[in-house]
Amino acid sequence: METKEGREAKPIELTAQSVIYLNETRKWTMFFSILGFVFLGILLIAAVFMASMFGVIAGDNLPFMGSGIVMGAFYLLLGVLYFFPIFYLYKFSKYSKTAIYSEDSEQLSLALKYLKKHYKFIGILSIILLSFYVLAFLIMSIAGGIGAFM
Protein backbone atom coordinates (compact mmCIF):
# COMPACT_ATOMS: atom_id res chain seq x y z
CA MET A 1 0.00 0.00 0.00
CA GLU A 2 1.37 3.40 -0.98
CA THR A 3 0.68 6.69 0.72
CA LYS A 4 0.22 10.06 -0.97
CA GLU A 5 3.87 10.85 -0.34
CA GLY A 6 4.89 7.85 -2.47
CA ARG A 7 6.25 5.88 0.48
CA GLU A 8 5.07 2.42 1.26
CA ALA A 9 2.78 2.27 4.29
CA LYS A 10 3.80 -0.45 6.70
CA PRO A 11 1.14 -2.09 8.86
CA ILE A 12 1.29 -1.13 12.51
CA GLU A 13 0.43 -3.51 15.30
CA LEU A 14 -0.92 -2.10 18.53
CA THR A 15 0.54 -3.31 21.80
CA ALA A 16 -1.70 -4.16 24.73
CA GLN A 17 -0.73 -0.86 26.37
CA SER A 18 -1.65 1.03 23.18
CA VAL A 19 -5.09 -0.56 23.21
CA ILE A 20 -5.51 0.45 26.86
CA TYR A 21 -4.56 4.05 25.98
CA LEU A 22 -6.94 4.01 23.02
CA ASN A 23 -9.75 2.70 25.22
CA GLU A 24 -9.15 5.43 27.82
CA THR A 25 -9.07 8.04 25.07
CA ARG A 26 -12.29 6.62 23.64
CA LYS A 27 -14.05 7.00 26.98
CA TRP A 28 -13.00 10.64 27.29
CA THR A 29 -13.98 11.45 23.71
CA MET A 30 -17.39 9.88 24.32
CA PHE A 31 -17.78 12.02 27.45
CA PHE A 32 -16.81 15.20 25.57
CA SER A 33 -19.05 14.39 22.62
CA ILE A 34 -22.06 13.79 24.88
CA LEU A 35 -21.25 16.99 26.76
CA GLY A 36 -20.98 18.77 23.41
CA PHE A 37 -24.38 17.48 22.30
CA VAL A 38 -25.91 18.69 25.59
CA PHE A 39 -24.41 22.16 25.10
CA LEU A 40 -25.54 22.09 21.47
CA GLY A 41 -29.10 21.50 22.69
CA ILE A 42 -28.76 24.42 25.11
CA LEU A 43 -27.43 26.58 22.26
CA LEU A 44 -30.41 25.71 20.07
CA ILE A 45 -32.83 26.52 22.90
CA ALA A 46 -30.97 29.83 23.31
CA ALA A 47 -31.41 30.46 19.57
CA VAL A 48 -35.17 30.10 19.86
CA PHE A 49 -35.19 32.21 23.03
CA MET A 50 -33.09 34.96 21.42
CA ALA A 51 -35.24 35.01 18.31
CA SER A 52 -38.43 35.38 20.31
CA MET A 53 -37.25 37.65 23.13
CA PHE A 54 -35.26 40.11 21.02
CA GLY A 55 -38.32 40.52 18.83
CA VAL A 56 -40.48 41.31 21.85
CA ILE A 57 -37.91 43.64 23.42
CA ALA A 58 -37.29 45.55 20.19
CA GLY A 59 -41.00 46.00 19.57
CA ASP A 60 -41.72 48.46 16.80
CA ASN A 61 -38.48 50.42 17.14
CA LEU A 62 -37.31 50.78 13.58
CA PRO A 63 -33.54 50.29 14.08
CA PHE A 64 -34.08 47.09 16.07
CA MET A 65 -36.84 45.46 14.03
CA GLY A 66 -35.79 41.98 12.98
CA SER A 67 -32.94 41.83 15.48
CA GLY A 68 -34.50 38.75 17.08
CA ILE A 69 -34.40 36.86 13.83
CA VAL A 70 -30.80 37.92 13.25
CA MET A 71 -29.76 36.81 16.76
CA GLY A 72 -31.63 33.51 16.40
CA ALA A 73 -30.02 32.88 13.01
CA PHE A 74 -26.58 33.68 14.47
CA TYR A 75 -27.07 31.15 17.26
CA LEU A 76 -28.32 28.57 14.76
CA LEU A 77 -25.20 29.14 12.65
CA LEU A 78 -23.04 28.62 15.74
CA GLY A 79 -24.98 25.42 16.41
CA VAL A 80 -24.31 24.14 12.90
CA LEU A 81 -20.60 24.94 13.22
CA TYR A 82 -20.52 23.30 16.65
CA PHE A 83 -22.30 20.13 15.47
CA PHE A 84 -19.70 18.74 13.08
CA PRO A 85 -16.66 18.46 15.36
CA ILE A 86 -18.84 16.97 18.09
CA PHE A 87 -20.34 14.47 15.65
CA TYR A 88 -16.90 13.46 14.38
CA LEU A 89 -15.66 13.00 17.94
CA TYR A 90 -18.69 10.84 18.74
CA LYS A 91 -18.10 8.71 15.64
CA PHE A 92 -14.44 8.26 16.62
CA SER A 93 -15.49 7.05 20.05
CA LYS A 94 -18.14 4.71 18.67
CA TYR A 95 -15.92 3.12 16.02
CA SER A 96 -12.92 2.83 18.32
CA LYS A 97 -15.06 1.01 20.89
CA THR A 98 -16.18 -1.44 18.23
CA ALA A 99 -12.59 -1.83 17.03
CA ILE A 100 -11.26 -2.52 20.53
CA TYR A 101 -13.89 -5.05 21.55
CA SER A 102 -14.06 -6.87 18.22
CA GLU A 103 -10.33 -6.46 17.43
CA ASP A 104 -11.28 -5.17 13.98
CA SER A 105 -8.67 -3.06 12.21
CA GLU A 106 -11.22 -1.79 9.66
CA GLN A 107 -13.27 -0.27 12.49
CA LEU A 108 -10.10 1.26 13.92
CA SER A 109 -9.34 2.75 10.53
CA LEU A 110 -12.84 4.28 10.42
CA ALA A 111 -12.38 5.62 13.94
CA LEU A 112 -9.10 7.28 13.01
CA LYS A 113 -10.72 8.70 9.87
CA TYR A 114 -13.30 10.49 12.04
CA LEU A 115 -10.63 11.68 14.45
CA LYS A 116 -8.77 13.15 11.48
CA LYS A 117 -11.99 14.84 10.29
CA HIS A 118 -12.51 16.27 13.78
CA TYR A 119 -9.07 17.84 13.97
CA LYS A 120 -9.15 18.99 10.34
CA PHE A 121 -12.45 20.81 10.99
CA ILE A 122 -11.13 22.36 14.21
CA GLY A 123 -7.92 23.39 12.43
CA ILE A 124 -9.71 25.06 9.51
CA LEU A 125 -12.12 26.80 11.89
CA SER A 126 -9.17 28.03 13.98
CA ILE A 127 -7.46 29.44 10.90
CA ILE A 128 -10.65 31.24 9.88
CA LEU A 129 -11.15 32.68 13.38
CA LEU A 130 -7.53 33.79 13.65
CA SER A 131 -7.89 35.48 10.24
CA PHE A 132 -10.95 37.36 11.51
CA TYR A 133 -9.02 38.43 14.62
CA VAL A 134 -6.14 39.75 12.51
CA LEU A 135 -8.57 41.55 10.20
CA ALA A 136 -10.44 43.07 13.15
CA PHE A 137 -7.15 44.18 14.73
CA LEU A 138 -6.07 45.84 11.48
CA ILE A 139 -9.42 47.60 11.06
CA MET A 140 -9.37 48.83 14.68
CA SER A 141 -5.75 50.00 14.31
CA ILE A 142 -6.59 51.94 11.15
CA ALA A 143 -9.73 53.39 12.71
CA GLY A 144 -7.79 54.35 15.86
CA GLY A 145 -5.08 55.97 13.79
CA ILE A 146 -7.60 57.96 11.79
CA GLY A 147 -9.38 58.96 14.98
CA ALA A 148 -6.13 60.14 16.56
CA PHE A 149 -5.52 62.55 13.68
CA MET A 150 -8.97 64.13 13.85
Side-chain angles (χ1 to χ4, degrees):
M1 176 190 325
E2 294 223 355
T3 63
K4 289 182 182 178
E5 293 86 24
R7 298 179 308 188
E8 185 177 329
K10 297 178 184 176
I12 298 174
E13 290 186 27
L14 298 177
T15 64
Q17 189 63 43
S18 298
V19 174
I20 290 170
Y21 291 149
L22 182 64
N23 194 33
E24 287 178 18
T25 303
R26 173 201 65 79
K27 290 174 184 176
W28 281 107
T29 57
M30 180 59 83
F31 170 73
F32 282 122
S33 63
I34 290 171
L35 193 64
F37 283 128
V38 168
F39 281 118
L40 182 62
I42 293 170
L43 185 69
L44 294 177
I45 290 170
V48 172
F49 178 75
M50 291 292 183
S52 62
M53 289 309 292
F54 267 77
V56 170
I57 292 170
D60 291 334
N61 294 336
L62 193 57
F64 300 109
M65 283 177 50
S67 63
I69 295 170
V70 171
M71 287 299 290
F74 177 73
Y75 273 74
L76 283 175
L77 177 66
L78 284 179
V80 169
L81 284 176
Y82 194 52
F83 172 78
F84 289 102
I86 294 168
F87 178 71
Y88 295 149
L89 202 60
Y90 172 77
K91 289 294 228 177
F92 165 75
S93 184
K94 182 182 145 206
Y95 282 121
S96 59
K97 180 179 182 179
T98 304
I100 290 168
Y101 291 116
S102 67
E103 297 179 1
D104 186 356
S105 61
E106 290 297 319
Q107 294 293 309
L108 181 59
S109 180
L110 274 172
L112 293 174
K113 173 185 164 186
Y114 281 106
L115 187 63
K116 181 196 107 175
K117 284 184 169 197
H118 169 78
Y119 281 109
K120 186 176 180 180
F121 191 94
I122 294 294
I124 291 170
L125 191 60
S126 297
I127 290 169
I128 291 170
L129 287 175
L130 286 172
S131 300
F132 279 134
Y133 291 154
V134 168
L135 184 64
F137 177 76
L138 289 174
I139 290 171
M140 286 186 283
S141 296
I142 292 169
I146 292 172
F149 286 115
M150 292 188 153

